[in-house]
Amino acid sequence: MDGNGRWAKQRDLPRTAGHTEGESSLFDVVEGAIEIGVKAVSAYAFSTENWSRSPAEVKFLMGFNRDVIRRRRDEMHELGVRVRWAGRRPRLWGSVVKELQVAEELTRDNDVLTLTMCVNYGGRAELADAADRMVADARAGRLKRVDERTFAKYLYVPELPDADMVWRTSGEQRLSNYMLWQAAYSEMVFTDVLWPDVDRRDLWRAITTYAERDRRYGSA
Amino acid sequence: MMIDGNRRWARQLGYDSAAHGHRAGAAKMLEFLEWCDAVGVRVVSLYLLSTDNLRKRDSRELSDLIEIIAELADEISRQPDWRVQHVGRSEGLPPELARVLSEASSRTREHGGLHVNLAVGYGGRGEIVDAVRSIIAQHDAVGGSLEELAASLTPEQIGEHLYTGGQPDPDLVIRTSGEQRLSDFLLWQSAHSEFYFVEALGPDLREVDFLRAIRDFGSRDRRYGS
């Protein structure tokens, strides 16, 4: 969900205005995903690297994430969306964690689409946290071997399938430490549109691009 | 550098063996390394053979490819002052190939010029698993308890135990043939890399494509999340 800052700058607005405008983009995309039959969407809401932004912006983003989850929770539940949180606790505001937990609990039995909110998420941090828990389980005699399959079980949301498509808006062509493990074989689709200007049609265009690709998974 | 499209290139030219494409691709990689050296790039990683390739390609093509890779590794190691490092698992590689890679690495160990990582028998997820195993093993060896290790495993430690431990992360990942995927290459290391995709098939890569990639990279605004 990239481009909020640039969108705001283009309009001489503070960066936070871009984030605010971006909320409706996400939920339109979620509805568009449901319409087209996508079963899982993960949204990169706040990364472990974002802590280095200005204290004012960080404070805004914490409160904003908290408010958005609270505000949109019932709507997601009505759509049959199962909300999950991918991320780590250290530094994350307790109020944000609480809203995420309430949303997870409320929507636990839904099965139309899983929406994973990545809040205080980092791909490398996720893998280090997974390794950490694997070592703890090995100590307790609960884990016999460390391999790719068992590793996947220790990710924040282990039931998520690998990502078929990673979609990044605003034209930047990088992964920015997002879902490194899960994106190993994903098709990457880069769109120039800025996130606040995105709606479900941009998702569908990205999926069309994805559908035209030839996926080989390392074979011929 | 993810060189892709060798087989398609061979097919387009009417060859029925993919070996022609792999051979042309290998020659192109040598040129590519020279271009890198000429503009001052210090470390280049070539994705030559993944663990997936080892499992899935039919055996005739695979044995051709292995021979071509061995020749390429040997040739790269004979360039004055380039340093070769094998990045990947030696177990699972045909012994001859493993030997060539090992010799290329030791022969060039003192070289201070272009550092060339040859990713052969490489898988990004496997590399991360190997790093974690290596951290655990090292910890055991110094008599540490698993209890001490748990809750202290950091991303930095994992980085150090990768095959590329001690090296800087790649700034730029280039992939040929128009495909836009990571294909399990340098998953950890490329977390903040810029990606550049070239339409040309591997053997058709031109120096101007490379220079455009560098120029494009130079104009990117790398924010690292801030």
Side-chain angles (χ1 to χ4, degrees), chain A residues 121-162:
Chain A
Y121 178 91
R124 289 179 176 177
E126 177 173 34
L127 294 171
D129 284 344
D132 224 34
R133 289 202 306 281
M134 290 172 90
V135 166
D137 275 0
R139 174 171 76 87
R142 280 191 296 264
L143 180 66
K144 297 290 186 302
R145 40 183 295 114
V146 173
D147 60 25
E148 284 179 43
R149 212 183 10 241
T150 52
F151 218 105
K153 294 186 180 150
Y154 284 80
L155 302 175
Y156 296 138
V157 185
E159 70 268 20
L160 275 186
D162 289 341

Coordinates of all heavy atoms in Angstrom, one line a residue, chain A residues 121-162:
Chain A
Y121 N 5.1 -5.5 11.3 CA 5.6 -6.7 10.5 C 6.9 -6.4 9.8 O 7.1 -5.4 9.3 CB 4.5 -7.1 9.5 CG 5.0 -8.3 8.7 CD1 4.7 -9.6 9.1 CD2 5.8 -8.1 7.6 CE1 5.2 -10.7 8.4 CE2 6.3 -9.2 6.9 CZ 5.9 -10.5 7.3 OH 6.4 -11.6 6.6
G122 N 7.8 -7.4 9.8 CA 9.0 -7.4 9.0 C 9.3 -8.8 8.6 O 9.2 -9.7 9.4
G123 N 9.6 -9.0 7.4 CA 9.9 -10.4 6.9 C 11.0 -11.0 7.7 O 11.0 -12.2 8.1
R124 N 12.1 -10.3 7.9 CA 13.3 -10.8 8.6 C 12.9 -11.1 10.0 O 13.3 -12.1 10.6 CB 14.5 -9.9 8.5 CG 15.0 -9.9 7.1 CD 16.2 -9.0 7.0 NE 16.8 -9.0 5.7 CZ 17.9 -8.3 5.3 NH1 18.4 -7.4 6.2 NH2 18.4 -8.4 4.1
A125 N 12.2 -10.1 10.6 CA 11.8 -10.3 12.0 C 10.9 -11.5 12.2 O 11.0 -12.3 13.2 CB 11.0 -9.1 12.5
E126 N 10.0 -11.7 11.2 CA 9.1 -12.9 11.3 C 9.9 -14.2 11.3 O 9.7 -15.1 12.1 CB 8.1 -12.9 10.1 CG 7.2 -14.2 10.1 CD 6.1 -14.1 9.1 OE1 6.4 -13.6 8.0 OE2 5.1 -14.7 9.4
L127 N 11.0 -14.2 10.4 CA 11.8 -15.4 10.3 C 12.6 -15.6 11.6 O 12.8 -16.8 12.1 CB 12.6 -15.4 9.1 CG 11.8 -15.4 7.8 CD1 12.7 -15.2 6.6 CD2 11.1 -16.8 7.6
A128 N 13.1 -14.5 12.2 CA 13.9 -14.6 13.4 C 13.0 -15.1 14.5 O 13.4 -15.9 15.4 CB 14.6 -13.3 13.7
D129 N 11.8 -14.5 14.6 CA 10.8 -14.9 15.6 C 10.5 -16.4 15.5 O 10.3 -17.1 16.5 CB 9.6 -14.1 15.6 CG 9.8 -12.7 16.1 OD1 10.8 -12.4 16.8 OD2 8.9 -11.8 15.9
A130 N 10.3 -16.8 14.2 CA 10.0 -18.2 14.0 C 11.1 -19.1 14.5 O 10.9 -20.1 15.2 CB 9.7 -18.5 12.5
A131 N 12.3 -18.8 14.1 CA 13.5 -19.5 14.6 C 13.6 -19.6 16.1 O 13.9 -20.6 16.7 CB 14.8 -18.9 14.0
D132 N 13.3 -18.5 16.7 CA 13.3 -18.4 18.2 C 12.4 -19.4 18.8 O 12.7 -20.1 19.7 CB 12.9 -17.0 18.5 CG 13.7 -16.4 19.6 OD1 14.9 -16.6 19.6 OD2 13.2 -15.6 20.4
R133 N 11.1 -19.4 18.2 CA 10.1 -20.3 18.8 C 10.5 -21.8 18.5 O 10.1 -22.7 19.3 CB 8.7 -19.9 18.3 CG 8.2 -18.6 18.9 CD 6.7 -18.5 18.9 NE 6.2 -18.7 17.5 CZ 6.2 -17.8 16.6 NH1 6.7 -16.6 16.8 NH2 5.7 -18.0 15.4
M134 N 11.1 -22.0 17.4 CA 11.5 -23.3 17.0 C 12.5 -23.8 18.0 O 12.5 -25.0 18.5 CB 12.1 -23.4 15.6 CG 11.1 -23.2 14.5 SD 11.8 -23.1 12.9 CE 11.8 -24.8 12.4
V135 N 13.5 -23.0 18.4 CA 14.5 -23.3 19.4 C 13.8 -23.6 20.7 O 14.2 -24.6 21.4 CB 15.6 -22.2 19.5 CG1 16.4 -22.4 20.7 CG2 16.4 -22.1 18.3
A136 N 12.9 -22.8 21.1 CA 12.2 -23.0 22.4 C 11.5 -24.3 22.4 O 11.5 -25.1 23.4 CB 11.2 -21.8 22.6
D137 N 10.8 -24.7 21.3 CA 10.1 -25.9 21.2 C 11.1 -27.1 21.1 O 10.8 -28.2 21.7 CB 9.2 -26.0 19.9 CG 7.9 -25.4 20.2 OD1 7.6 -24.9 21.4 OD2 7.0 -25.3 19.3
A138 N 12.2 -26.9 20.5 CA 13.3 -28.0 20.5 C 13.7 -28.2 21.9 O 13.9 -29.4 22.3 CB 14.4 -27.5 19.6
R139 N 13.9 -27.2 22.7 CA 14.3 -27.3 24.1 C 13.3 -28.1 24.9 O 13.6 -28.9 25.7 CB 14.5 -25.9 24.7 CG 14.8 -25.9 26.2 CD 15.2 -24.5 26.6 NE 14.0 -23.6 26.7 CZ 13.3 -23.5 27.8 NH1 13.5 -24.2 28.8 NH2 12.2 -22.7 27.7
A140 N 12.0 -27.9 24.6 CA 11.0 -28.5 25.3 C 10.7 -29.9 24.8 O 9.8 -30.6 25.2 CB 9.7 -27.7 25.3
G141 N 11.5 -30.3 23.8 CA 11.3 -31.7 23.2 C 10.1 -31.8 22.3 O 9.7 -32.8 21.9
R142 N 9.5 -30.6 21.9 CA 8.4 -30.6 21.0 C 8.7 -30.5 19.6 O 7.8 -30.6 18.7 CB 7.5 -29.4 21.4 CG 6.6 -29.6 22.6 CD 5.6 -28.5 22.7 NE 6.2 -27.2 22.9 CZ 6.3 -26.5 24.0 NH1 6.0 -27.2 25.2 NH2 6.9 -25.4 24.1
L143 N 10.0 -30.3 19.2 CA 10.4 -30.2 17.8 C 11.6 -31.1 17.6 O 12.6 -31.0 18.2 CB 10.7 -28.7 17.5 CG 11.1 -28.5 16.1 CD1 10.0 -28.7 15.1 CD2 11.6 -27.0 16.0
K144 N 11.4 -32.0 16.6 CA 12.5 -32.9 16.3 C 13.5 -32.4 15.2 O 14.7 -32.5 15.3 CB 11.9 -34.2 15.8 CG 11.1 -35.0 16.8 CD 12.0 -35.5 18.0 CE 11.2 -36.4 18.9 NZ 10.0 -35.7 19.5
R145 N 12.9 -31.8 14.1 CA 13.8 -31.4 13.1 C 13.4 -30.0 12.5 O 12.3 -29.6 12.5 CB 13.8 -32.4 11.9 CG 12.5 -33.0 11.5 CD 12.6 -34.0 10.4 NE 13.0 -33.4 9.2 CZ 14.2 -33.7 8.6 NH1 15.1 -34.5 9.1 NH2 14.5 -33.1 7.4
V146 N 14.5 -29.3 12.1 CA 14.3 -27.9 11.5 C 14.4 -28.1 10.0 O 15.5 -28.4 9.5 CB 15.5 -27.0 12.0 CG1 15.4 -25.7 11.3 CG2 15.3 -26.8 13.5
D147 N 13.3 -27.9 9.3 CA 13.4 -28.0 7.9 C 12.3 -27.0 7.3 O 11.7 -26.3 8.1 CB 13.1 -29.4 7.3 CG 11.8 -30.0 7.7 OD1 10.8 -29.2 8.0 OD2 11.7 -31.2 7.7
E148 N 12.2 -26.9 6.0 CA 11.4 -25.9 5.4 C 9.9 -26.0 5.8 O 9.2 -25.1 6.0 CB 11.5 -25.9 3.8 CG 12.8 -25.3 3.3 CD 12.9 -25.3 1.8 OE1 11.9 -25.1 1.1 OE2 14.0 -25.6 1.4
R149 N 9.5 -27.3 5.9 CA 8.1 -27.5 6.2 C 7.7 -27.0 7.6 O 6.7 -26.4 7.9 CB 7.7 -28.9 6.0 CG 6.2 -29.1 5.5 CD 5.7 -30.5 5.4 NE 6.7 -31.5 5.9 CZ 7.2 -32.4 5.1 NH1 7.0 -32.5 3.8 NH2 8.1 -33.3 5.6
T150 N 8.6 -27.4 8.5 CA 8.3 -27.0 9.9 C 8.5 -25.5 10.1 O 7.8 -24.9 10.9 CB 9.3 -27.8 10.9 OG1 10.6 -27.6 10.5 CG2 8.9 -29.2 11.0
F151 N 9.5 -24.9 9.4 CA 9.7 -23.5 9.5 C 8.4 -22.8 9.2 O 8.0 -21.9 9.9 CB 10.7 -23.1 8.5 CG 11.6 -22.0 9.0 CD1 12.9 -22.3 9.4 CD2 11.2 -20.7 9.1 CE1 13.8 -21.3 9.9 CE2 12.0 -19.7 9.6 CZ 13.3 -20.0 10.0
A152 N 7.7 -23.2 8.1 CA 6.5 -22.5 7.7 C 5.4 -22.6 8.8 O 4.5 -21.7 8.9 CB 5.9 -23.2 6.4
K153 N 5.4 -23.6 9.7 CA 4.4 -23.7 10.7 C 4.7 -22.7 11.8 O 3.8 -22.4 12.6 CB 4.5 -25.1 11.3 CG 4.0 -26.2 10.4 CD 3.9 -27.5 11.0 CE 3.5 -28.5 9.9 NZ 4.0 -29.9 10.2
Y154 N 5.8 -22.0 11.8 CA 6.1 -21.1 12.9 C 6.0 -19.6 12.5 O 6.4 -18.7 13.2 CB 7.6 -21.4 13.4 CG 7.6 -22.6 14.3 CD1 7.7 -23.9 13.8 CD2 7.6 -22.5 15.7 CE1 7.7 -25.0 14.6 CE2 7.6 -23.6 16.5 CZ 7.7 -24.8 16.0 OH 7.7 -25.9 16.8
L155 N 5.5 -19.4 11.3 CA 5.2 -18.0 10.8 C 4.0 -17.5 11.6 O 3.3 -18.2 12.2 CB 5.0 -18.0 9.3 CG 6.1 -18.6 8.5 CD1 5.7 -18.7 7.0 CD2 7.3 -17.8 8.6
Y156 N 3.9 -16.2 11.6 CA 2.8 -15.5 12.4 C 1.4 -16.1 12.1 O 0.6 -16.3 13.0 CB 2.8 -14.0 12.1 CG 4.1 -13.3 12.6 CD1 4.6 -12.3 11.8 CD2 4.7 -13.6 13.8 CE1 5.7 -11.6 12.1 CE2 5.9 -12.9 14.1 CZ 6.4 -11.9 13.3 OH 7.5 -11.2 13.7
V157 N 1.1 -16.3 10.8 CA -0.2 -16.8 10.4 C 0.1 -18.1 9.6 O 0.0 -18.1 8.4 CB -1.0 -15.8 9.6 CG1 -2.4 -16.3 9.3 CG2 -1.1 -14.5 10.4
P158 N 0.4 -19.2 10.2 CA 0.9 -20.4 9.5 C -0.1 -21.0 8.5 O 0.3 -21.6 7.6 CB 1.2 -21.4 10.6 CG 0.7 -20.8 11.9 CD 0.4 -19.4 11.7
E159 N -1.4 -20.8 8.7 CA -2.4 -21.4 7.8 C -2.5 -20.7 6.5 O -3.1 -21.1 5.6 CB -3.7 -21.5 8.5 CG -4.5 -20.1 8.7 CD -4.2 -19.5 10.0 OE1 -3.2 -19.8 10.7 OE2 -5.0 -18.6 10.4
L160 N -1.8 -19.5 6.4 CA -1.9 -18.8 5.1 C -1.1 -19.5 4.0 O 0.0 -20.0 4.3 CB -1.2 -17.4 5.2 CG -2.1 -16.2 5.7 CD1 -1.2 -15.0 5.6 CD2 -3.4 -16.1 4.9
P161 N -1.7 -19.7 2.8 CA -0.9 -20.3 1.8 C 0.2 -19.3 1.3 O 0.1 -18.2 1.6 CB -1.9 -20.6 0.7 CG -3.0 -19.6 0.9 CD -3.0 -19.4 2.4
D162 N 1.1 -19.8 0.5 CA 2.1 -18.9 -0.1 C 1.4 -17.9 -0.9 O 0.3 -18.2 -1.5 CB 3.1 -19.6 -0.9 CG 4.1 -20.5 -0.1 OD1 4.2 -20.2 1.1 OD2 4.7 -21.4 -0.7

